[in-house]
């Protein structure tokens, strides 16, 4: 390029010299000639530098300067530019200045520039199109999120009765769910219904807790022992900020926060066998609530609930007709034969043994299926009608596969503790005692042992949503003599599947110090919510 410019300058100087010294100077023609050559040289230099030497830089400059224009305008500008380049090349590069070889190279360069400009324009078009699609997708997603959040806000503005009607309709038309990363479908009676109901509970449900009642019966929950479920639920419910409301007009449910276990410790006269003082006390409390607040009388207690794990929980409500008939009762002693617990309205509360309240999840876990040499295990007091029968047929080390004890003998426990037995057993027997409920059911789940429930008329915990046939065995009391035969008839493949399901269901039976989705606290609350919807 420098050589071409140098030749141009030499030609101009020769022409000027010839005209100045050999002929009379025609200044107008000279001025016009100089102007033509000067402008031509400037344009030539500009084009060469901009479109041949630095095509990439030119494109970026164009992109920066035209970034805010429309795509059509950009494409038209590029086409106009290509045409202009070709025209300027033909106008400013006479054959007398550019040699054939250099001309061919230049034309090739121009073709490269054209292809480069075309390619860049196409990439820009695709980029703009992709950006539009992305923006459209983001806008659509944002719109759906906005609509969803707006819908939730609208639901929360509904009156409590209207919200319950809406939730029931939503659950009746729940979208089909086959898989969920947080839920294991085989454990549920209907995972689609449960998932939708649970989501609506999280969105809608508000609970009002009565502040009335003196400690320890009220607001002082027992967190240790076999009746700890009522205490842990009370503790976590009163600490909760998501579901609890201080405005009773916004509440869908009303919680009566008393402890049946604390009532027994405080009011029961040992050895009297008289539960009347307990039921009278609770009757008077409910009457005070009904007189002080309008909420009980609006529904006759049907939107109120209580949580009681003590064996006597059902009997403490017998002194108040509406409390026994209408209130949703979450009871560990879920015995249909007593006609106090009503399936479909009341909730079977899991009975859990908590040995260390500061570490409620201690010892959780167990051996895999192949490391469980014991077929069946039970150790406990021989009260009630079922356990003596179990001991009669299978106790006293009559069968090496069946480890059935009154209480775990010292010589046995020194070799293997009670918990180690459960962790090393395929089937953990859970026979009823004086009442149908047993803490061994949840213990078996904690230690990943398939529970075997022997208690006629017992409504299994959380059975409104959980399919217990997937992770447990139910044996009728009359079939105790055939117990080993029944257990051995279960194929190994089915046992392994059940044992795996026990591991999967375990998360739903855990008391977490800080509640987590789908844990014991939320599952109990959901069952109360779900049964309330079924009454709406």
């Amino acid at each position: 390029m420098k050589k071409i410019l140098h030749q141009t300058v030499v030609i101009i100087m020769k022409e000027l010299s010839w005209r100045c010294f050999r002929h009379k100077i025609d200044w107008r023609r000279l001025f016009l000639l100089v102007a033509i050559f000067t402008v031509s040289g400037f344009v030539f230099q500009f084009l060469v530098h901009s479109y041949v030497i630095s095509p990439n830089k030119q494109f970026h400059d164009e992109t920066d300067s035209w970034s805010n224009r429309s795509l059509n305008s950009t494409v038209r500008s590029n086409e106009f530019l290509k045409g202009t380049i070709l025209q300027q090349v033909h106008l400013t590069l006479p054959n007398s200045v550019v040699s054939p070889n250099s001309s061919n190279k230049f034309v090739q360069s121009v073709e490269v520039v054209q292809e480069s400009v075309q390619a860049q324009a196409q990439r820009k078009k695709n980029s703009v199109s992709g950006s539009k699609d992305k923006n459209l997708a983001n806008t659509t997603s944002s719109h759906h999120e906005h609509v969803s959040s707006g819908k939730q806000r609208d639901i929360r503005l509904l009156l409590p009765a209207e919200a319950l009607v809406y939730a029931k309709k939503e659950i009746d038309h729940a979208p089909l769910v086959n898989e969920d990363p947080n839920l294991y479908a085989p454990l549920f009676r209907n995972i689609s219904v449960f998932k939708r109901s649970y989501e609506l509970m999280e969105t809608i449900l508000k609970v009002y807790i009565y502040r009335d009642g003196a400690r320890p019966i009220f607001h002082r929950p027992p967190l240790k022992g076999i009746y700890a479920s009522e205490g842990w639920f009370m503790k976590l419910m009163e600490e909760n900020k998501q579901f609890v409301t201080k405005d009773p007009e916004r509440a869908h449910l009303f919680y009566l926060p008393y402890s049946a276990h604390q009532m027994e410790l405080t009011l029961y006269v040992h050895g009297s066998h008289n539960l009347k003082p307990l039921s009278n006390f609770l009757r008077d409390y409910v009457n005070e609530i009904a007189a002080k607040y309008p909420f009980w009388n609006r529904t006759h207690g049907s939107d109120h609930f209580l949580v009681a794990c003590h064996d006597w929980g059902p009997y403490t409500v017998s002194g108040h007709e509406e409390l026994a008939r209408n209130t949703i009762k979450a009871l560990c002693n879920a015995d249909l034969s007593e006609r106090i617990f009503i399936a479909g309205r009341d909730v079977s509360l899991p009975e859990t043994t908590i040995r260390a309240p500061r570490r409620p999840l201690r010892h959780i876990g167990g051996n895999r299926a192949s490391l469980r040499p014991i077929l069946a295990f039970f150790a406990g007091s021989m009260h009630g009608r079922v356990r003596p029968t179990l001991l009669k047929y299978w106790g006293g080390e009559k069968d090496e596969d069946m480890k059935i004890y009154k209480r775990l003998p010292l010589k046995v426990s020194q070799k293997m503790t009670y918990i180690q037995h459960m962790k090393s057993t395929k089937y953990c027997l859970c026979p009823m005692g004086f009442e149908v409920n047993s803490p061994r059911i949840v213990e078996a789940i904690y230690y990943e042992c398939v529970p075997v429930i022997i208690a006629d008329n017992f409504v299994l915990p959380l059975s409104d949503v959980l399919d217990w046939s997937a992770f447990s065995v139910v044996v009728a009391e009359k079939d105790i003599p055939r117990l080993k035969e029944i257990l051995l008839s279960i194929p190994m493949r089915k046992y392994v599947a059940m044992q795996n399901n026990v591991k999967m269901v375990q998360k739903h039976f855990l008391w977490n110090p800080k509640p987590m989705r789908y844990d014991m606290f939320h599952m109990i609350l959901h069952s109360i919510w779900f049964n309330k919807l079924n009454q709406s």
Side-chain angles (χ1 to χ4, degrees), residues 233-483:
F233 181 87
M234 184 192 300
K235 173 183 181 295
L236 298 177
M237 189 79 253
E238 293 198 326
E239 292 175 354
N240 188 271
K241 295 181 180 179
Q242 178 182 1
F243 299 108
V244 174
T245 178
K246 294 182 179 179
D247 181 3
E249 297 293 344
R250 296 183 58 210
H252 307 88
L253 290 167
F254 295 79
Y255 175 38
L256 303 171
Y258 77 95
S259 164
H261 182 45
Q262 292 285 30
M263 188 184 297
E264 180 261 334
L265 294 175
T266 305
L267 301 177
Y268 178 68
V269 177
H270 187 69
S272 67
H273 305 288
N274 183 12
L275 302 184
K276 194 94 175 155
L278 282 67
S279 61
N280 288 344
F281 177 85
L282 192 56
R283 175 202 63 195
D284 295 341
Y285 167 72
V286 173
N287 287 336
E288 289 177 8
I289 291 293
K292 184 175 180 180
Y293 304 96
F295 313 113
W296 180 278
N297 295 324
R298 289 188 315 193
T299 64
H300 301 285
S302 65
D303 55 1
H304 287 57
F305 72 92
L306 59 89
V307 178
C309 192
H310 194 277
D311 289 354
W312 295 347
Y315 314 123
T316 62
V317 305
S318 60
H320 195 289
E321 184 180 354
E322 290 183 341
L323 180 65
R325 186 180 68 244
N326 300 333
T327 302
I328 299 172
K329 301 178 292 295
L331 302 171
C332 287
N333 189 3
D335 187 349
L336 290 175
S337 66
E338 298 287 346
R339 300 194 177 185
I340 297 174
F341 182 94
I342 301 175
R345 184 195 64 190
D346 297 329
V347 174
S348 181
L349 181 69
E351 184 172 1
T352 53
T353 301
I354 301 297
R355 294 177 172 82
R358 293 187 178 182
R359 299 177 62 189
L361 305 183
R362 189 180 180 187
H363 301 307
I364 296 295
N367 298 335
R368 62 179 182 267
S370 60
L371 296 179
R372 292 179 175 267
I374 304 171
L375 178 64
F377 167 72
F378 171 79
S381 300
M382 287 293 122
H383 54 70
R385 65 177 184 266
V386 173
R387 296 180 186 182
T389 305
L390 184 66
L391 187 67
K392 173 185 174 181
Y393 283 95
W394 302 107
E397 298 183 353
K398 292 183 176 65
D399 192 309
E400 61 180 9
D401 294 328
M402 309 287 283
K403 306 295 183 182
I404 313 298
Y405 305 99
K406 288 184 179 179
R407 288 189 178 274
L408 200 61
L410 181 60
K411 64 177 182 179
V412 175
S413 64
Q414 288 176 339
K415 296 179 181 178
M416 184 181 290
T417 66
Y418 177 86
I419 292 176
Q420 289 172 337
H421 270 84
M422 297 195 84
K423 288 175 179 281
S424 303
T425 299
K426 289 182 174 67
Y427 298 98
C428 290
L429 306 184
C430 308
M432 65 176 288
F434 286 128
E435 305 293 348
V436 292
N437 49 300
S438 170
R440 288 169 181 79
I441 297 175
V442 177
E443 279 185 333
I445 293 172
Y446 282 179
Y447 305 135
E448 299 172 3
C449 178
V450 176
V452 178
I453 297 99
I454 311 174
D456 295 351
N457 301 312
F458 180 42
V459 179
L460 292 170
L462 309 177
S463 56
D464 51 317
V465 295
L466 294 177
D467 179 10
W468 279 79
S469 65
F471 55 90
S472 72
V473 178
V474 176
V475 175
E477 295 174 22
K478 65 180 180 61
D479 289 330
I480 290 177
R482 300 178 48 246
L483 181 59

Side-chain angles (χ1 to χ4, degrees), residues 7-57:
Q7 290 176 350
T8 303
V9 172
V10 170
I11 293 171
I12 294 173
M13 292 302 295
K14 287 181 178 179
E15 180 67 17
L16 288 174
S17 176
W18 185 83
R19 289 185 177 275
C20 289
F21 297 103
R22 295 192 180 186
H23 299 278
K24 182 180 179 181
I25 296 175
D26 187 342
W27 292 104
R28 287 180 297 179
R29 292 181 63 187
L30 178 61
F31 178 80
L32 180 61
L33 184 62
V34 171
I36 291 173
F37 276 97
T38 302
V39 171
S40 298
F42 175 81
V43 171
F44 173 75
Q45 184 176 2
F46 173 79
L47 291 175
V48 170
H49 177 75
S50 299
Y51 296 103
V52 180
I53 298 176
S54 305
N56 291 332
K57 182 178 183 301

